[in-house]
């Protein structure tokens, strides 16, 4: 059985796409969605799919002992889907190569502290880029810097706005993130 822990801070459209992709699979289980944001749309998504939610307290998240809570779920994979807090080192070490993230740009460009959600798309448009895209990568101790597992590009049209670009990029995320996750699962 592949237990997948999802961490999300926002609307949860990626979480929805992932839960949808795996809904008929009996080798995959989502024991818990962890969020830092009591107002996150992802909480409604979790309810819809009958997945439990753990609301995180920042101080507890920083505590090394929190790994015991994570370990309870025996995650094969920890998947960040729009999760905005930095992952503490104890967790990166404890789940080395077992934690992945999706970023709404072509890393190493437009990554790092402060580069999330609409900030990314605004920066890409302001720089007159011809293309943007998505990056799925392994999480290491530096923001947005782990080994890249997949990148997909979109062309930026004339008159593109951060909002229209965000829509295009999200569509790509919804198509590809689950496929990458699937490729990392075990058949045991
Ligand atoms: C997604 O575009 C994801 O790539 C981005 O947040 C959005 C979450 O949307 N993540 C980052 O910017 C991380 N640096 P969602 O809540 O609808 O899935």
């Amino acid at each position: 059985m592949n237990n997948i822990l999802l961490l999300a801070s926002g609307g949860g459209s990626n979480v929805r796409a992932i839960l949808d992709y795996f809904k008929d699979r009996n080798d995959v289980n989502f024991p818990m969605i962890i969020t830092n944001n009591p107002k996150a749309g992802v909480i409604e998504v979790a309810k819809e799919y009958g997945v439990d939610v753990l609301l995180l307290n920042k101080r507890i998240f920083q505590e090394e002992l929190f790994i015991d809570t994570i370990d309870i779920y025996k995650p094969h994979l920890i998947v960040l889907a729009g999760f905005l807090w930095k992952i503490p080192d104890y967790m990166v070490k404890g789940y080395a190569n077992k934690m992945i993230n999706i970023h709404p740009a072509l890393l190493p460009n437009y990554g790092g502290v402060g580069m999330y959600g609409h900030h990314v798309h605004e920066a890409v448009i302001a720089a007159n880029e011809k293309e943007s895209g998505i990056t799925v990568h392994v999480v290491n101790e530096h923001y947005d810097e782990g080994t890249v597992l997949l990148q997909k590009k979109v062309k930026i049209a004339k008159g593109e706005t951060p909002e229209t670009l965000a829509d295009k990029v999200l569509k790509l995320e919804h198509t590809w993130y689950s496929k990458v996750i699937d490729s990392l699962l075990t058949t045991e």
Side-chain angles (χ1 to χ4, degrees):
M1 176 59 70
N2 292 280
N3 287 320
I4 301 178
L5 270 190
L6 295 166
L7 275 71
S9 304
S13 70
N14 274 289
V15 164
R16 179 186 292 284
I18 294 165
L19 294 176
D20 228 48
Y21 177 98
F22 289 104
K23 65 179 185 301
D24 297 324
R25 289 272 295 269
N26 51 19
D27 59 330
V28 180
N29 179 41
F30 296 93
M32 180 69 80
I33 295 174
I34 298 178
T35 186
N36 61 308
N37 177 5
K39 294 190 177 134
V42 71
I43 295 173
E44 284 307 310
V45 178
K47 269 191 204 149
E48 232 180 89
Y49 284 81
V51 182
D52 288 339
V53 174
L54 178 72
L55 186 55
L56 257 191
N57 167 297
K58 195 161 202 169
R59 203 158 42 84
I60 290 175
F61 191 45
Q62 306 299 348
E63 287 290 338
E64 206 156 335
L65 264 181
F66 183 68
I67 198 109
D68 291 352
T69 302
I70 300 283
D71 290 347
I72 288 170
Y73 301 103
K74 298 193 176 13
H76 175 75
L77 207 58
I78 298 179
V79 172
L80 312 185
F83 185 71
L84 299 184
W85 282 354
K86 188 170 187 305
I87 302 299
D89 284 353
Y90 72 82
M91 226 171 121
V92 174
K93 287 202 186 86
Y95 284 89
N97 291 316
K98 285 182 150 198
M99 187 163 15
I100 62 172
N101 181 43
I102 192 159
H103 187 77
L106 298 170
L107 291 174
N109 299 327
Y110 304 100
V113 179
M115 277 293 163
Y116 61 87
H118 66 99
H119 297 290
V120 176
H121 305 304
E122 281 162 13
V124 168
I125 297 285
N128 280 317
E129 295 286 359
K130 299 275 174 293
E131 57 184 20
S132 188
I134 62 169
T135 305
V136 179
H137 66 94
V138 175
V139 176
N140 70 9
E141 53 286 342
H142 305 291
Y143 254 142
D144 300 331
E145 283 186 18
T147 306
V148 170
L149 301 174
L150 171 115
Q151 287 193 309
K152 291 283 167 187
K153 294 179 179 174
V154 282
K155 285 212 167 11
I156 297 181
K158 265 212 172 108
E160 193 93 65
T161 65
E163 290 74 27
T164 59
L165 180 58
D167 282 351
K168 279 184 180 172
V169 167
L170 266 182
K171 280 206 182 85
L172 266 191
E173 294 186 22
H174 299 162
T175 303
W176 288 101
Y177 205 11
S178 302
K179 292 186 205 282
V180 177
I181 294 168
D182 207 354
S183 74
L184 298 172
L185 301 183
T186 166
T187 50
E188 279 160 30

